[in-house]
Amino acid sequence: MLTASQPTKSTDAGRRIDGLDRNTSTAQAHVRMTNVVKDLGCFRAVDNVSLDIPRGGMLTLLGPSGCGKSTTLRLLAGFYHPTEGEIFLGDEEITSLPPNRRRMTMVFQEYALFPHLTVAANVAYGLKMQKQPRNRIAARVAEMLELVGLAGADGKYPHQLSGGQQQRVALARALAINPEVLLLDEPLSNLDAKLRVKLREEIVRLQKVLGKTMVFVTHDQEEALSISDQIAVMNKGRIEQLGSPTDIYNRPTTRYVAEFIGQANFIDVDVAGDGTVGIGGLSLPVKSGITGAVTAVIRPETVKIVSGPVPVGSPTIAGRVSRRAFHGNMMRYWIDTDFGEWTVDEAAPDPRTQSDDVKLLLSADRLHFVPREA
């Protein structure tokens, strides 16, 4: 499990940590950031970030532009040095080590292939820098091209490849030198939607086959949910929430996370003294144990649209269909309610039309509550 780490007393960069208990969860972390801060001029781009990333795990740094996710990745790669804090690879502190001594490799959004070199030469570049024997380089290049599905393309040049193929070459080049950790900075953002899905599935396959620790940066919530073991949602340089994809989606800790991950509807309510809230004409228990002013988070797929009678004791909200859109696997409706416009997703399209008066049936056991923001 990926957890927030605590400060650990260490020696100089590149040396081993004294007295580290290897049976602790901290010792099991493959990559660790401890209270890392990065100031870019007068702007704090990363603000006290701590992470433990287990060996072989896929962590995604997720958030909007300017939230600090790419800066965090560059701190791991060694392109930036922290203003404060420490970074470890295993039990070795690497805070001050240059990128070429960190045993990490980055895959960039722009591919960064050498246009004058063939596919094989691009993949071999890092191996040549390591002065590997020629026969070993040839074997490794063939192995990597086979792994990413580009066997037979070794003699082509980057301009002869599609965007997806170029990104596969970039992945092969990064993996060829066998880094301990692979860092991916929005590697799919230049691809069309269908190709993005195909290549992200390929990245997940490679990660599982190779058992590589990977840190993936994206602003695409669907991408993050589909590929990650753990997601760190970032906001203004801080980690707003850290957890599994299901935790992040079903149990957001703040309204910011609930709004950023998927669609959500919201109702501001107050928790009564008996630990209940009033929604849809009923008093419902608050399972999370929070008190005071809260916001109910209701995901679109947890709401059912009904036009007739509803079961007794079921919380409902009156509304009117304002518009709808067919999404292939479901129909999305926008419903005007006393709490604003809601979105509701139904797997089976219904012939209801705009201006139909409806009732929204809520699932009491799917309600989630977060502290109300000021």
Side-chain angles (χ1 to χ4, degrees), residues 39-337:
D39 293 329
L40 298 174
C42 60
F43 174 66
R44 179 147 291 185
V46 174
D47 189 4
N48 198 38
V49 166
S50 293
L51 288 171
D52 282 357
I53 306 173
R55 187 176 296 274
M58 169 75 87
L59 169 71
T60 295
L61 301 174
L62 175 67
S65 297
C67 71
K69 56 188 186 297
S70 290
T71 303
T72 300
L73 198 73
R74 281 161 171 72
L75 286 164
L76 287 173
F79 300 146
Y80 290 153
H81 289 162
T83 305
E84 299 175 20
E86 298 172 313
I87 301 172
F88 298 88
L89 180 63
D91 58 358
E92 179 184 9
E93 185 186 355
I94 61 171
T95 310
S96 300
L97 290 183
N100 65 326
R101 292 181 57 195
R102 292 199 175 203
R103 305 191 301 281
M104 299 184 188
T105 304
M106 183 177 284
V107 177
F108 297 92
Q109 176 181 341
E110 300 82 8
Y111 316 143
L113 300 178
F114 298 110
H116 62 289
L117 297 181
T118 65
V119 166
N122 266 283
V123 176
Y125 184 80
L127 299 169
K128 288 183 177 179
M129 293 299 100
Q130 294 177 343
K131 302 187 184 303
Q132 297 277 353
R134 183 174 300 179
N135 61 339
R136 187 175 299 174
I137 291 176
R140 184 65 172 169
V141 168
E143 179 187 3
M144 290 299 100
L145 291 180
E146 178 72 28
L147 186 68
V148 299
L150 286 177
D154 52 311
K156 292 184 177 181
Y157 288 86
H159 72 272
Q160 297 175 302
L161 305 176
S162 68
Q165 290 173 323
Q166 290 184 53
Q167 193 58 286
R168 287 170 186 264
V169 175
L171 281 168
R173 181 177 62 184
L175 292 169
I177 60 174
N178 196 28
E180 285 195 34
V181 180
L182 189 63
L183 309 173
L184 302 107
D185 191 9
E186 303 212 43
L188 310 180
S189 59
N190 288 335
L191 307 177
D192 62 65
K194 184 172 287 188
L195 189 54
R196 284 184 71 149
V197 172
K198 183 176 181 180
L199 200 51
R200 79 188 185 203
E201 291 172 352
E202 186 68 15
I203 289 173
V204 172
R205 182 187 71 83
L206 290 173
Q207 195 259 338
K208 300 307 179 187
V209 168
L210 299 173
K212 289 289 181 188
T213 303
M214 294 189 183
V215 184
F216 192 101
V217 162
T218 185
H219 62 273
D220 187 318
Q221 53 186 273
E222 181 182 340
E223 197 164 84
L225 290 170
S226 65
I227 69 171
S228 310
D229 296 316
Q230 298 283 319
I231 298 173
V233 182
M234 298 194 68
N235 181 24
K236 297 179 181 179
R238 287 181 169 268
I239 294 177
E240 188 89 1
Q241 184 174 351
L242 175 66
S244 69
T246 54
D247 281 340
I248 295 289
Y249 184 81
N250 293 318
R251 290 173 289 279
T253 56
T254 65
R255 179 162 179 160
Y256 171 86
V257 174
E259 288 182 320
F260 193 81
I261 300 289
Q263 295 286 329
N265 306 298
F266 302 97
I267 302 177
D268 288 336
V269 291
D270 295 298
V271 181
D274 60 356
T276 63
V277 296
I279 296 179
L282 294 176
S283 291
L284 304 173
V286 179
K287 295 181 179 179
S288 59
I290 58 178
T291 60
V294 299
T295 297
V297 180
I298 301 103
R299 295 295 187 186
E301 69 276 8
T302 68
V303 182
K304 184 177 181 181
I305 302 176
V306 293
S307 301
V310 297
V312 176
S314 300
T316 59
I317 293 173
R320 173 171 289 192
V321 179
S322 63
R323 55 195 173 102
R324 64 179 185 172
F326 181 58
H327 286 218
N329 61 333
M330 57 89 175
M331 184 75 79
R332 172 160 292 169
Y333 297 92
W334 286 264
I335 314 291
D336 290 328
T337 76

